[in-house]
Amino acid sequence: MLKKTIGRTALALSLVLGSLSPAFAQVGNYTQAINTRSDRGYLDYLSSYKTGQAHEDGGVAEIVSYNPEKGYIYLVSGQTQLIDLVKVQADGKTQLIKKINLAQEEALKDITIGDVTSVAYNSTYQGLAIAVQEADYRKDGHIVLMDEEGNYRAHYPAGVQPDMVTFSPDGRYVLTANEGEPREGYLEGEDPKGSLTCLDLESGQAENIYFDDLSREEALEKGLVLKKDSQPAQDLEPEYIAFSSDGKLAYVTLQENNGVGALDLEKKAWTYIKGLGFKDHSQEGMGLDLNRDKEIRIQKEEALGVYMPDGIDYVEIGQRGYLLTANEGDAREWGDEDVEGAFYTNVQEAKLFGAKKDVEYLINEASDGLGEGTYLLGGRSFSIWDADSLERVYDSGDEFEKITGRIFPDFFNSGHDEAALEKRSNKKGPEPESVVTFKDGDKTYAVVGLERMGGIMVYDITNPQEAHYMDYLNVRKFVHEDEEPDLASLGDLGAEGIHVVSREDSPTGHPLILVANEISGTLTLAQWLEGQEPSPDYLDSWAKDPIQLALDQGLMDSDAQGRFYPQEANRRIDLVVSLAKLEGVKAQDYAGESYKDLAVSSDHSGYVNWAKEKGLIQGYPDGTFRGNQGISRQEMAKVLTAYVEKLGKDKPPVNKRVPYKDQGQIGAWALEEVGQVQERGLMVGRTDGSFGPRDSLSRAEVAKILDNLMK
């Protein structure tokens, strides 16, 4: 019977993958401890490596690469100018081998290192390429080559401010995307040329490819966005690079210009440079939440999103090439704010669309290439484009906000260094930063990193036109910003670079996903388990049958792998949801404001309003509900007594009231109720004769209590 039920559950799981509704277990107690559970269980958290540094401005752990021959991870930090060389074990744990310090390399003494921005490993070359910027932002940067152990080989010139480095698939070329930002402003400073550097490892020649041949008129005709009256040679700022499968073309994002360029490596010439157009937020499924009113309200707005992608990747599906972009958005803000006329910005803020707080949007007059209307930074999404025509094939629309709002409703649109409900709604929302693809079996997936909200989304893009959500993992502890938490204690913050190790190369035997987190200075390691047979973790539990009943009745959840986490503390909010579902309550019937740490429009708020109205459970004097806290056994006795009495569920006594050996530890406020639930057979003590009044109630115990209520 149990085996048939598990199989039936697995079939049901396979039918709901395209849905954004909560099909599986939601995350754990993320305000009391660092969350390590994914939404649906396909993303299996393994460990987090810590560099030992954290910084609210980021730049600590930015880009990660992997050496499959040795199982080495290379993690670059711009803040410390170090590269951590880390060994990953078969269980997903890590061990630091060494820290590579470029500043101590004798051969690099002629370089005044300003920032170490990126690292890449290539198996053919059997070594590393590292992007190094000069301290003087106007000077050309460098490509540093090392062997796989971090020993110096050579270095070559690059363009100004190399921000990303990568190898061509065959290992012959090293390319850098050189931003050339005007970091001291346009008035007092200089706007260096943006470029790509192409280093031919066979000839040892490095060549910078500029945009000198692209006229201003042609750039605007092709849909690029330019600074008012600027020239493309200075204004275009390459951000990130991806190669075609055959290595003949390199695709580069031009973030501030809302475009993508395709470079023919053999000819060293641009095949195309095009704008991406705009995202219409007035269309169904393309909405967003712009209003910082402590309510999750994702809706259509008469605004256009300017994609401005950061990360990009290329994938071939069905003999057709596609580009994927992470539509972050980026403002131009340069110069000294304290010097009149020296500071430049292309954004402003106003209370648009009835918002309670100012919304950030582009100044139309500061840019060429924008028409009439309101233009917002980024798309809060990832997109799939035809690599040849650059026509959009798919966009995830408003799904990132819907998914994160469902899973973390009381911290929706948080910042990466400060956790607060709707902290980023009026700016760029969850802020997709990076995107990579991987293939496993006959399926193709996209992994998208969310810089502000944190964590990674995984989508199945096997059919690019019908890409759909699979899972979300956010290894984070959410602590309100007014508590002034220590960044190093909050998990993995500020997802930046992502690298996926194939099943064939992974030490764990499953696709391994590595995520560099630039605020916390950590690296997340997780494996992909989709396709695995469910492996329930409750089959040996004393509460196996009640757990199965709770799952079958939809009162509690397990994840896609059948994991129920029976010994974990049951959260206050989960208890309310279970009781509400037992009563057939619909959250929308009780929608409205409840407690200040619950989003008004969330299902959680509706269920809590029901429980509050029925007198089952209350919040705290400070106006919070603290739904992510566990509930003690004596608190549960109070809730159960209220439930059976106030909802007319009274049950006759089945047990004799007997004192527990720790009776004196039960609070006077709960003493009578503990006795009543004992008499009614709803909740009894432990096998050693104790009650454990202050112990947190486990999920297995809640399943047993629900079973008792249903009898």
Side-chain angles (χ1 to χ4, degrees), residues 55-337:
H55 200 287
E56 62 183 7
D57 293 330
V60 182
E62 291 193 88
I63 302 297
V64 59
S65 193
Y66 183 74
N67 176 342
E69 291 80 33
K70 293 212 167 186
Y72 285 172
I73 292 170
Y74 305 99
L75 182 63
V76 70
S77 171
Q79 286 279 356
T80 62
Q81 301 180 358
L82 299 174
I83 298 168
D84 285 24
L85 194 165
V86 180
K87 175 78 172 178
V88 60
Q89 312 292 341
D91 60 358
K93 300 295 191 295
T94 56
Q95 178 186 0
L96 175 66
I97 302 299
K98 64 187 291 190
K99 287 183 179 283
I100 304 169
N101 190 339
L102 298 184
Q104 293 180 355
E105 287 293 337
E106 187 63 33
L108 300 177
K109 293 300 183 183
D110 59 328
I111 297 175
T112 307
I113 298 175
D115 198 357
V116 181
T117 56
S118 184
V119 63
Y121 174 83
N122 181 267
S123 293
T124 302
Y125 178 68
Q126 292 189 323
L128 303 172
I130 303 159
V132 178
Q133 297 185 5
E134 278 277 350
D136 185 337
Y137 80 97
R138 298 164 297 184
K139 291 185 176 181
D140 286 346
H142 310 271
I143 299 170
V144 177
L145 302 179
M146 291 186 158
D147 67 18
E148 57 192 0
E149 301 293 339
N151 299 308
Y152 173 84
R153 281 181 174 169
H155 69 279
Y156 297 87
V160 177
Q161 302 163 23
D163 193 52
M164 188 264 185
V165 66
T166 185
F167 285 89
S168 60
D170 62 4
R172 176 177 174 179
Y173 297 104
V174 176
L175 266 68
T176 58
N178 312 310
E179 287 194 275
E181 296 171 334
R183 294 179 178 172
E184 291 184 1
Y186 295 99
L187 183 65
E188 300 292 335
E190 178 182 323
D191 187 4
K193 289 183 178 181
S195 64
L196 258 63
T197 297
C198 180
L199 168 62
D200 187 335
L201 292 176
E202 289 186 3
S203 67
Q205 296 298 310
E207 179 181 353
N208 290 338
I209 296 119
Y210 296 100
F211 300 96
D212 293 342
D213 293 336
L214 181 66
S215 70
R216 176 180 176 75
E217 292 72 21
E218 186 181 7
L220 294 174
E221 184 180 313
K222 292 181 180 296
L224 296 176
V225 176
L226 301 176
K227 177 181 176 291
K228 190 75 173 177
D229 300 328
S230 68
Q231 293 301 318
Q234 281 76 31
D235 200 56
L236 269 57
E237 297 180 3
E239 190 81 26
Y240 214 88
I241 303 168
F243 284 96
S244 59
S245 298
D246 59 13
K248 293 181 179 179
L249 291 175
Y251 300 93
V252 58
T253 49
L254 306 168
Q255 185 170 26
E256 288 80 2
N257 312 102
N258 193 39
V260 170
L263 179 72
D264 185 315
L265 282 178
E266 184 178 347
K267 297 178 181 178
K268 304 295 190 298
W270 295 103
T271 299
Y272 66 68
I273 302 173
K274 296 180 181 180
L276 295 173
F278 308 106
K279 178 173 179 174
D280 189 349
H281 288 298
S282 70
Q283 298 299 306
E284 195 65 42
M286 298 291 170
L288 71 173
D289 188 338
L290 290 173
N291 194 351
R292 284 186 62 184
D293 57 357
K294 293 197 173 182
E295 179 178 352
I296 301 175
R297 184 164 43 195
I298 300 163
Q299 60 190 29
K300 297 183 290 184
E301 301 285 6
E302 291 296 328
L304 297 171
V306 188
Y307 295 101
M308 295 181 169
D310 190 328
I312 186 171
D313 202 7
Y314 175 95
V315 66
E316 200 167 283
I317 302 174
Q319 298 183 324
R320 192 172 191 85
Y322 297 93
L323 296 174
L324 285 80
T325 58
N327 305 320
E328 179 193 26
D330 198 15
R332 295 176 187 260
E333 294 177 300
W334 303 114
D336 190 341
E337 292 186 74

